[in-house]
Amino acid sequence: MTQNPNLAALSAAGVSVWLDDLSRERLRTGNLQELIDTKCVVGVTTNPTIFQKALADSDVYDEQLAELAERGADVDATIRTVTTDDVRNACDVLTPQWEASEGVDGRVSIEVDPRLAHDTDKTIAQAVELWKIVDRPNLFIKIPATEAGLPAITATLAEGISVNVTLIFSVERHRAVMDAYLKGLEAAKKAGHDLSKIHSVASFFVSRVDTEVDKRLEKIGTEEALALRGQAGVANARLAYAAYQEVFVGGGDYEKLKADGARVQRPLWASTGVKNPDYSDTLYVTELVAPNTVNTMPEKTIDAVADHGVITGDAVTGTASAAQEVFDKLEAVGVDLTDVFLVLENEGVQKFEESWNELLKETQAQLDSTAK
């Protein structure tokens, strides 16, 4: 199979292409394998919204739901079984990519119940449980970067479990996430785990930052404010990459662990589907090309890059000062960035909770109808 040249160029520039979607339909039809063979896809991310949509839009789950209903499974157990089955099967599809990259790619992520986002102990317990249920070495457990999530990230890594840290919006929180990662590796080392087998990505959300900042700039309404629209998301991600380089390229704390086989925690660009039709639909891909990163995209964005994405090499390294200028200008016109990131984190957790509750409701309704 021939890989798309634009996506091949993106991969060659050091960006791992991951699909931000999963459904049993994709697995059964061979669509996921086709994306691996032709669109350079080497990983998959999921979230509660993705699973809610998968179950709502397809009848391929009906037979399994009927079996689970017959066995008397409750709604939580049903969702756990259905979602972990899909993730395990996706892990198996991506095993060749996992092996070829020595564990860096070929990864599939599953998220802890978003209702646990502010409960450290329950997050840790469910992370361990999901790791055991899926039982695949190329799994990532997704844990949100909330205040309660940070110690849960450290504790989960300490168990030798690979973690995808999600819902990161600010560079300040990204630094706390990298710190939680290094602490987790220290603890894993003390517990006797092989550090080379523990992997992590830090999922930094991009388009949602522009959506929130643009809304505030339009409310301010001055010429200076309106001229800054569409710049915050990329600038924020570029500052995050500079922070990653500080920690993992010659950073003292990481260097000590590197000798024991520790891996870097790669930045992952999430929320890369462009929401504003005035912006290029490949904006959050072409402007965020950098070595040792992941870009997880909805299929629509993958297709856009495949069709007309122009990849010109590293677009991030050395851009921190220009990115900081964007932030300084935003503050100068009256955008409270600290508040922006707080609002986005709260909204992010809430949106995933709402999707999860919708998933619970729909699954319960299907279990009830099957039982009749």
Side-chain angles (χ1 to χ4, degrees), residues 204-360:
F204 206 84
F205 281 53
V206 188
S207 68
R208 292 189 197 182
V209 173
D210 273 337
T211 302
E212 181 63 26
V213 170
D214 284 3
K215 187 170 72 179
R216 296 181 186 217
L217 290 169
E218 281 159 15
K219 194 174 177 184
I220 293 163
T222 63
E223 199 175 320
E224 293 87 351
L226 296 176
L228 290 166
R229 285 177 297 184
Q231 295 182 45
V234 168
N236 197 34
R238 286 174 171 173
L239 288 169
Y241 190 76
Y244 151 79
Q245 287 183 303
E246 273 178 45
V247 173
F248 291 107
V249 184
D253 290 343
Y254 170 65
E255 284 300 317
K256 289 177 207 159
L257 292 162
K258 190 178 175 184
D260 294 305
R263 312 277 188 156
V264 301
Q265 184 184 51
R266 290 191 294 170
L268 177 151
W269 312 131
S271 178
T272 55
V274 176
K275 295 176 174 61
N276 188 329
D278 294 339
Y279 304 153
S280 162
D281 56 0
T282 63
L283 172 67
Y284 304 124
V285 181
T286 57
E287 295 302 308
L288 292 176
V289 177
N292 233 7
T293 58
V294 179
N295 197 309
T296 184
M297 309 175 222
E299 190 171 11
K300 188 178 173 185
T301 304
I302 291 176
D303 289 344
V305 176
D307 181 62
H308 53 266
V310 180
I311 310 301
T312 55
D314 190 343
V316 178
T317 304
T319 60
S321 60
Q324 187 57 52
E325 278 177 31
V326 172
F327 268 37
D328 293 343
K329 287 176 184 173
L330 289 167
E331 294 274 13
V333 298
V335 175
D336 181 346
L337 289 166
T338 303
D339 186 64
V340 165
F341 299 134
L342 183 64
V343 165
L344 286 170
E345 181 181 304
N346 290 337
E347 274 184 1
V349 172
Q350 187 186 344
K351 280 176 185 171
F352 282 164
E353 270 190 38
E354 285 167 1
S355 294
W356 196 258
N357 287 330
E358 195 60 38
L359 177 59
L360 288 166

Side-chain angles (χ1 to χ4, degrees), residues 84 110-112 126-134 139 141:
T84 54
I110 187 168
E111 191 155 341
V112 294
Q126 193 174 82
V128 172
E129 181 188 32
L130 288 170
W131 182 258
K132 286 176 180 170
I133 293 171
V134 176
L139 179 69
I141 303 296

